[in-house]
């Protein structure tokens, strides 16, 4: 079941692959942050990226929607194939890529706009102008992000007036509003209290199946709870990748075992 | 002993910070005191005329309408020129320019902001006056438009540097969220960054207009100083500030003319005061978060 290496994994019993990462190297200037990453992210599943701080898991997450592009002096080698296209090929439209690959950040970052405008922003920039259609999208996205009931009577208030947990669900609704296939989450609950964290985890469970979710987390229990697959990163290398259940019960690698049993990290 | 010391320091700080309030109040008081007798003789109605001829041998007249329209015309035109140029330049410097470009642009803009207005006035006389004259085929280049161009030149650095501060202090998390939704860099700038910085941009514009309406030397030098009621930008006008500056030195103390000039100053103060309040209102309205 371990899917390391760029050879095609056996297809029997294997889920469909959504993101195929082949020999990915990533550099910040001269510093190499990722070394030869090969990984096949299965479609419709939740994949958790774990590892100690600075291990490259967030950097890896950001290569998947090319958010690292906005930092100057970065360089990518290797391939990331999403829906049979190499997203680092020169003819790729980053706008379309990011429409398909949504992102939720560590700190909730709603725009200083109304709740409605926060969610409508994405559809609007992708060309939807019809008010009724926008309203429909906003409602559907907020329902999907399990925040509709809390905000339906006050869609006009600023997104910044919500609590931290509500803000994060608003950000998830905002990401869902452009109808992505993949959702990247960068420690989405690390700035939240336990109850809000619980709600985000429930939400991830609900979105599973309809979206391919890749989530970075510091919290081992969280990875075990929410994910189907787990990838362990250490010092820029992908050490082990496989079904979460197996990684947490029978890791193949000594470093993985040490990390998940809390011996370092 | 320690307590007493703390009290003294507190009092000292309070005194220092109240000084500005005291000075504003004193200015108000003094202006009103000097202007007030005019209301009794020759009466306030004489201010409403459209002829400013305070030293006429036949009949003195103190109609401030031409001064008011002169100030209005020059200020409005300068504002219309300065806002787009200033705001667009600020956006360019903070969001688009490469660091090396920024390093060159910023000191020059700050230098422009620090130039004394007399020096800018000279520049206007030598460059803008002949330019306006030849472009529009006029008999003189000393026009309202020339003044507006110069004033815009003085307001632009103020607008740029304060707007630029406001725009670059917009949290990068907003921009990242926008980019991650598939917005282009320009969409992010105009739909997220600029709206988020709007309060600062409005403040910069207010300060810019404040500088424009209060500016004296440069307009005195290039607008021709003809006190006529007009809305034609290609004629000579005379602003309120230029009038005070040009005439205060030669007026007889306590005369009607002297008191009329205080009325002009009072009205000018009123306008700036109103502008400030309007700006405060605009600021609080745009602050959503």
């Amino acid at each position: 079941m371990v899917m390391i290496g760029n050879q095609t994994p056996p297809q029997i019993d294997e889920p469909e692959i959504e993101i195929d990462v082949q020999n990915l190297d990533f550099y910040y200037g001269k510093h190499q942050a990722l070394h030869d990453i090969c990984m096949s992210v299965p479609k419709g599943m939740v994949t958790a990226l774990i590892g100690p701080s600075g291990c490259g898991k967030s950097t890896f997450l950001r290569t998947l929607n090319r958010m690292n592009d906005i930092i100057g002096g970065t360089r990518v080698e290797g391939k990331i194939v999403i829906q049979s296209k190499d997203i680092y090929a020169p003819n790729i439209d980053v706008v379309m890529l990011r429409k398909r690959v949504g992102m939720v950040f560590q700190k909730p970052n709603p725009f200083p706009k109304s709740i409605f405008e926060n969610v409508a922003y994405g559809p609007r920039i992708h060309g939807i102008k019809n008010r009724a259609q926008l309203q429909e999208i906003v409602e559907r996205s907020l329902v999907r992000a399990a925040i509709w009931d809390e905000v339906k009577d006050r869609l006009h208030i600023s997104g910044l007036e919500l609590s931290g947990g509500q803000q994060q669900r608003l950000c998830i609704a905002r990401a869902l509003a452009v109808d992505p296939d993949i959702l990247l989450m960068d420690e989405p609950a690390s700035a939240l209290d336990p109850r809000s964290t619980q709600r985000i985890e429930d939400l991830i469970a609900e979105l599973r199946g309809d979206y391919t979710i890749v989530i970075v987390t510091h919290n081992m229990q969280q990875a075990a709870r929410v994910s189907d697959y787990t990838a362990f990163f250490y010092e820029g290398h992908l050490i082990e990748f496989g079904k979460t259940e197996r990684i947490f019960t029978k890791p193949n690698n000594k470093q993985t075992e040490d990390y998940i049993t809390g011996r370092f990290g | 002993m320690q307590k007493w010391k703390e009290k003294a320091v507190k009092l000292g700080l309070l005194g220092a910070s109240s000084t500005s309030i005291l000075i504003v109040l004193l200015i108000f008081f003094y202006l009103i005191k000097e202007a007030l007798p005019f209301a009794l003789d020759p009466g306030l109605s004489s201010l409403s005329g459209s002829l400013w001829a305070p030293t006429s041998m036949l009949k003195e007249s103190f109609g401030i309408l031409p001064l008011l329209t002169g100030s209005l015309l020059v200020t409005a035109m300068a504002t219309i020129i300065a806002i787009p140029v200033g705001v667009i330049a600020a956006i360019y410097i903070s969001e688009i320019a490469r660091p090396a470009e920024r390093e060159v642009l910023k000191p020059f803009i700050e230098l422009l902001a620090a130039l004394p207005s007399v020096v800018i006035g000279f520049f206007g006389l030598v460059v803008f006056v002949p330019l306006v004259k030849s472009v529009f085929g006029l008999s003189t280049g000393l026009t309202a438009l020339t003044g507006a161009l110069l004033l815009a030149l003085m307001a632009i650095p103020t607008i740029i540097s304060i707007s630029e501060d406001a725009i670059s202090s917009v949290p990068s998390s907003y921009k990242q969220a926008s980019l991650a939704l598939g917005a282009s860099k320009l969409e992010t700038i105009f739909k997220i960054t600029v709206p988020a910085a709007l309060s600062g941009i409005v403040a910069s514009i207010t300060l810019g207009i404040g500088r424009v309406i209060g500016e004296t030397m440069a307009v005195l030098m290039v607008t021709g100083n003809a006190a006529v009621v007009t809305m034609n930008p290609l004629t000579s006008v005379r602003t309120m500030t230029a009038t005070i500056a040009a005439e205060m030195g030669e007026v007889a103390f306590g005369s009607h003319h002297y008191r009329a000039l205080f009325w002009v100053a009072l009205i000018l103060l009123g306008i700036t005061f109103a502008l400030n309040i309007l700006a405060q209102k605009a600021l609080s309205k745009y602050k959503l978060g």
Side-chain angles (χ1 to χ4, degrees), chain A residues 24-126:
Chain A
L24 180 77
D25 291 320
F26 185 83
Y27 300 84
Y28 290 112
K30 287 209 170 93
H31 171 72
Q32 186 170 3
L34 294 173
H35 299 262
D36 198 30
I37 308 292
C38 297
M39 181 170 154
S40 301
V41 177
K43 188 180 169 85
M45 304 274 176
V46 179
T47 300
L49 310 179
I50 61 168
S53 298
C55 68
K57 56 191 190 302
S58 281
T59 300
F60 174 68
L61 190 78
R62 285 162 170 262
T63 60
L64 301 179
N65 65 345
R66 295 187 52 171
M67 278 304 276
N68 286 323
D69 287 15
I70 61 175
I71 308 166
T74 59
R75 191 159 55 85
V76 171
E77 280 168 20
K79 269 188 178 178
I80 297 177
V81 179
I82 296 179
Q83 294 165 356
S84 72
K85 277 192 203 130
D86 177 8
I87 63 166
Y88 282 93
N91 61 345
I92 281 292
D93 179 3
V94 180
V95 167
M96 286 318 289
L97 168 71
R98 290 182 185 152
K99 187 178 177 300
R100 289 206 313 269
V101 186
M103 188 163 206
V104 177
F105 295 82
Q106 179 170 5
K107 245 187 89 199
N109 56 353
F111 299 130
K113 295 175 183 286
S114 72
I115 293 172
F116 183 91
E117 287 302 323
N118 261 282
V119 183
Y121 178 76
R124 265 195 228 274
I125 57 171
H126 293 295

Side-chain angles (χ1 to χ4, degrees), chain B residues 155-180:
Chain B
I156 284 168
T158 309
I159 295 179
I160 292 179
S161 56
I162 296 171
S163 290
E164 200 259 333
D165 279 350
I167 293 169
S168 41
S169 60
V170 171
S172 70
S173 66
Y174 294 167
K175 298 175 208 169
Q176 290 199 25
S178 171
L179 292 170

